[in-house]
Amino acid sequence: MRDQLSGREAACAEELAEMTPAQRAVYDKSEAQRGTRPSSLGPRPRKRESCPVSRFERDRAEAAYLLDLEEWEYRRFKLPYDAAKKRLQRMREVRGKNPRKVMK
């Protein structure tokens, strides 16, 4: 996910560099009003402070913690990745070369 995010950011930088000043003004005017909701990620999962007595319960609690942590980390990278993907789409629409939409 990190590699994909850096690839999207590089593509956004290339698109921004290729924009004319008029296209960049249109993009800057519309992009400045957008943002990410900080509450959508939630707090990082924590390990249980009290350790269960049986080894089975400890292993089960550790596995649940690791699953929760992996899901949280995935969401942490998915939010900026989706934002970069949408930003790239909007940049391409401003330039009139979005590959997913055929301009007539």
Side-chain angles (χ1 to χ4, degrees), residues 13-27:
E14 289 173 12
E15 283 294 323
L16 193 61
E18 292 176 7
M19 282 185 187
T20 64
Q23 290 171 336
R24 192 173 296 178
V26 169
Y27 175 74

Side-chain angles (χ1 to χ4, degrees), residues 35-43 72 79:
T36 304
R37 289 172 291 192
S39 63
S40 60
L41 185 58
W72 181 84
L79 286 172

Side-chain angles (χ1 to χ4, degrees), residues 6-56:
S6 64
R8 289 289 177 186
E9 292 294 340
C12 286
E14 289 173 12
E15 283 294 323
L16 193 61
E18 292 176 7
M19 282 185 187
T20 64
Q23 290 171 336
R24 192 173 296 178
V26 169
Y27 175 74
D28 287 341
K29 181 180 175 186
S30 62
E31 190 64 21
Q33 299 166 352
R34 295 183 173 92
T36 304
R37 289 172 291 192
S39 63
S40 60
L41 185 58
R44 180 185 170 110
R46 293 184 181 180
K47 279 188 175 183
R48 289 179 59 176
E49 291 183 19
S50 62
C51 192
V53 176
S54 75
R55 187 173 66 188
F56 173 74

